[in-house]
Amino acid sequence: TILCLLVFRRWYFLPTAVGNVSAYLPLVVALCSRLNDVFITGHGLDPSIRLHPAHHSVVFLSSLCVLVILRLLWLHPVTKIGNSGVMSTPLFSAIDILAIIFLAGSWWEKRSLDHSRNGFIMARFAMVAIFLGLAHFSILLMRQWKMNASGRHLGGVADHAFFRVLIFLMSVTGPSAASTTVLIVIQCAALRQMMESVGTRRVPSPVMAAIWRLVIRDVFFATNHHCSFNRLQYSAAFVATNIFQFYIAGFSLFMNTFGWEILGSTLVLVYSRRAGQSSSKSNLSGSNVWDWYRYFQCTEMLASCMSVSVMKRHLMVWAVFAPRFMFSAVFTVVGLSLWFLDAILATTHR
């Protein structure tokens, strides 16, 4: 975790015009993906299971501490947009830090040998803090939209929402997701730096979109998800309660399975549009990343449809090909929904 923090500090805060920083960013992305895939296991399992090192209290507590540090270094609290620019307050930081503290307390209690300490109360406090923060974000977004704020300011506020969604995904995935989230934050910072590269270090839009596509899909599989219904992580429905509630459990399970895809696709859209609204001509390459990203998603869906059509009489069609088609369809619906929302916002904002 200390090494990840140093890498983040080294490559995120240095401008791309210094040295050959951009040349190392793809290596950082690949290294984080490999570390996540090889060394972090136990996603979607109860914290009381002590078979995985990532479930140890030292590991997830240190990872959460790194997330708090990254939160304070990466995101600055925002309240409103005025004539003087972005106004700051400790409220945004306090909400996120409280949610992380409550989540750490919940995981700590669930590892206790005392079965009466189930950690449900702390988990509920963490959920309340997360949703209060998202509600605060919605209010600020509406205010900035009415004031016709620039894409840079809107993206700055949106970063806070992304971080809070990450905390929620951690809570429904398990303590091993804390270390995974640290690596994901570093990857997103490196990819955004690559999109903002200038001069000869500018990354072509198709390449940038392909890297985003591979990273997001790698996170899906690295968090112990598979395109199979019998591998769904049903423990996500019982994070804050041992009573099954259909809508709450369904939403938690859906976010556990497809939340990483939703978050990653939204990041691509926001960062791409932010680059498109930039006045610098060197950033125009980033504005087409979202278009290429949708192209790759549609290509994946087309390939899945062809696979099901060809293998419709195969013995394993219901065990392999049909579930893959269903998961690909959900991924495509997520992309189309974001495209539709982006088109509506672009039309009404003119």
Side-chain angles (χ1 to χ4, degrees):
T1 54
I2 295 176
L3 177 60
C4 292
L5 180 61
L6 292 176
V7 170
F8 182 90
R9 179 71 179 177
R10 167 72 174 132
W11 273 283
Y12 180 72
F13 290 98
L14 282 179
T16 54
V18 179
N20 292 322
V21 176
S22 297
Y24 298 97
L25 293 177
L27 298 179
V28 174
V29 175
L31 176 63
C32 291
S33 296
R34 193 57 180 167
L35 290 175
N36 186 27
D37 189 33
V38 175
F39 295 104
I40 304 177
T41 58
H43 297 87
L45 299 178
D46 192 89
S48 61
I49 299 177
R50 293 171 172 81
L51 300 178
H52 304 275
H55 285 188
H56 197 280
S57 57
V58 174
V59 177
F60 69 73
L61 287 178
S62 60
S63 299
L64 292 176
C65 291
V66 172
L67 280 177
V68 171
I69 296 174
L70 294 180
R71 167 63 180 82
L72 297 176
L73 293 177
W74 178 33
L75 299 176
H76 299 286
V78 179
T79 56
K80 61 181 180 179
I81 300 294
N83 295 330
S84 59
V86 180
M87 306 298 294
S88 299
T89 181
L91 178 60
F92 260 58
S93 300
I95 293 175
D96 297 340
I97 294 175
L98 279 177
I100 293 176
I101 292 175
F102 289 142
L103 187 58
S106 174
W107 289 342
W108 182 276
E109 288 190 358
K110 289 181 179 181
R111 282 185 54 86
S112 176
L113 297 177
D114 184 4
H115 296 289
S116 62
R117 301 174 59 184
N118 47 36
F120 291 158
I121 302 298
M122 300 294 286
R124 293 170 187 172
F125 285 155
M127 296 290 184
V128 170
I130 292 171
F131 285 107
L132 284 178
L134 291 176
H136 188 199
F137 157 76
S138 301
I139 295 174
L140 294 180
L141 188 63
M142 292 177 61
R143 290 179 180 176
Q144 292 185 19
W145 188 259
K146 292 179 180 179
M147 297 178 63
N148 197 19
S150 64
R152 179 175 60 88
H153 291 159
L154 291 174
V157 178
D159 289 338
H160 295 78
F162 296 149
F163 191 85
R164 285 164 185 169
V165 174
L166 274 177
I167 300 176
F168 178 76
L169 293 179
M170 280 195 305
S171 64
V172 297
T173 304
S176 57
S179 303
T180 298
T181 303
V182 173
L183 299 175
I184 291 175
V185 171
I186 296 175
Q187 285 181 313
C188 292
L191 290 172
R192 187 173 71 170
Q193 192 83 355
M194 292 171 61
M195 292 182 67
E196 297 175 353
S197 300
V198 296
T200 58
R201 289 178 293 275
R202 185 175 59 188
V203 182
S205 297
V207 177
M208 195 71 247
I211 295 176
W212 272 107
R213 181 75 261 171
L214 292 174
V215 167
I216 295 173
R217 192 48 48 87
D218 175 74
V219 172
F220 175 80
F221 289 106
T223 51
N224 199 26
H225 291 98
H226 297 272
C227 295
S228 178
F229 298 122
N230 61 350
R231 295 298 299 271
L232 294 177
Q233 300 175 6
Y234 296 103
S235 60
F238 305 97
V239 172
T241 180
N242 57 357
I243 301 175
F244 180 80
Q245 298 177 357
F246 181 78
Y247 295 103
I248 297 177
F251 177 74
S252 299
L253 182 60
F254 177 82
M255 291 301 296
N256 171 276
T257 308
F258 302 105
W260 305 101
E261 177 81 15
I262 296 173
L263 182 64
S265 300
T266 308
L267 278 174
V268 177
L269 174 59
V270 172
Y271 289 160
S272 178
R273 293 300 179 251
R274 186 188 303 180
Q277 294 175 359
S278 175
S279 59
S280 176
K281 295 182 180 180
S282 59
N283 288 333
L284 291 178
S285 61
S287 62
N288 296 324
V289 174
W290 171 247
D291 299 329
W292 280 101
Y293 183 86
R294 289 191 293 110
Y295 169 77
F296 291 139
Q297 181 61 62
C298 294
T299 303
E300 179 182 353
M301 183 61 188
L302 178 61
S304 179
C305 293
M306 295 174 61
S307 174
V308 173
S309 300
V310 173
M311 301 294 182
K312 61 182 178 181
R313 300 186 182 278
H314 195 277
L315 179 64
M316 303 298 292
V317 62
W318 296 111
V320 178
F321 301 105
R324 288 182 179 178
F325 171 77
M326 292 298 299
F327 277 81
S328 180
V330 175
F331 294 147
T332 304
V333 169
V334 170
L336 291 177
S337 300
L338 291 174
W339 172 78
F340 184 69
L341 179 61
D342 177 55
I344 294 178
L345 294 178
T347 303
T348 58
H349 198 57
R350 290 178 181 177

